[in-house]
Amino acid sequence: QVQLVESGGGLVQAGGSLRLSCAASGTIFRINAMGWYRQAPGKQRELVARIPSVGTTNYADSVKGRFTISRDNAKNTVYLQMNSLKPEDTAVYYCNADISPTERGFPKPGRGYWGQGTQVTVSS
């Protein structure tokens, strides 16, 4: 059973930094794109950053130059380094990954998986 587990959220002052981690576990054949989304109260969930298995990363305009997404394929883990945090970054951050699981030795079609979310609160 494939599962995404997030960690690293918390309370930080404006201008501070946090590093989010999301580790995928289970019988995984391949992890394709991975990304981070966030949802603030009263707002729609939005893409923060995305990193494909091959290719360039992309970021929401609001976080460009401040956030960095990376991945460690050997650990099936994606990270989000958040610097120069602002109060408007306050949200629940969700990890997402397009994963092809393995069942009885055979790969299955890829689909999206979500982490449980981790709260990031930036105080002014």
Side-chain angles (χ1 to χ4, degrees), residues 10-55:
L11 175 64
V12 66
Q13 290 183 289
S17 299
L18 285 173
R19 177 177 160 93
L20 305 182
S21 299
C22 173
S25 62
T27 53
I28 297 171
F29 175 72
R30 181 175 62 198
I31 301 178
N32 303 305
M34 306 184 80
W36 289 93
Y37 295 72
R38 68 185 182 187
Q39 187 168 21
K43 294 185 177 181
Q44 294 288 106
R45 187 173 300 186
E46 64 174 350
L47 175 68
V48 176
R50 180 179 180 272
I51 181 168
S53 57
V54 177

Side-chain angles (χ1 to χ4, degrees), residues 64-84:
K64 286 181 179 177
R66 300 187 298 119
F67 291 9
T68 302
I69 188 171
S70 61
R71 63 193 290 174
D72 185 337
N73 292 329
K75 297 181 179 179
N76 290 335
T77 300
V78 63
Y79 305 94
L80 185 68
Q81 178 66 47
M82 304 184 293
N83 299 325
S84 301

Side-chain angles (χ1 to χ4, degrees), residues 7 16 24 36 42 44 50 52 73 75 90 98 103 111-112 118 124:
S7 62
W36 289 93
Q44 294 288 106
R50 180 179 180 272
N73 292 329
K75 297 181 179 179
T90 296
D98 184 358
E103 293 185 9
R111 71 173 183 87
T118 183
S124 59

